[in-house]
Amino acid sequence: MVSHVHDSHVTTIPLFHEILSGAPPPVYARWIEGSPVIVGFDGEEAKSRMDGIVKYISASTPQALMWKVMERFMNGPDNSTAVLTLRGSSGQVKDVKVTRSRGYWPARFEQRSGEIVKLLPGNIGYADLERLRISMVDAVFERFKDTRAIIFDGRRQWRHY
């Protein structure tokens, strides 16, 4: 049902938890020029594995769908081993074994730097919700109570269960 909504904010957790979430390996896949960077997965072609999970994911655009698939298609049970078949730029193929771990989730995302809360030109407040702590919330609203607007930057705010 959720894949028919075509909304990137819709999630299936915990309904398809083991299919879509699970524990990731310590690598990150990207969809580049119509192909994933990882060319094989535990003896299963990456494209085949991706096709198997895409039906459980909702996204508003094809690009958002591929981003969500790249986040999940190599996942499996926590502490299990993934065998990745990698192809280098020279075309040489190599199998690499990696251990999946739920502990890798936080490190999979680039951490933003700079001020967590700041005043932008035009008297517009900015708050980075990825790094904003609960103890800072009241101060943010107090600081920005007279601004024209507040941008709450919520990129990558979804959580993995």
Side-chain angles (χ1 to χ4, degrees), residues 120-131:
L120 299 173
N123 196 30
I124 297 173
Y126 170 88
D128 180 350
L129 297 181
E130 183 175 333
R131 299 181 294 143

Side-chain angles (χ1 to χ4, degrees), residues 116-117 128 131-142:
I116 297 171
V117 176
D128 180 350
R131 299 181 294 143
L132 187 72
R133 299 292 162 243
I134 292 172
S135 62
M136 302 167 71
V137 172
D138 290 339
V140 167
F141 283 104
E142 180 62 30

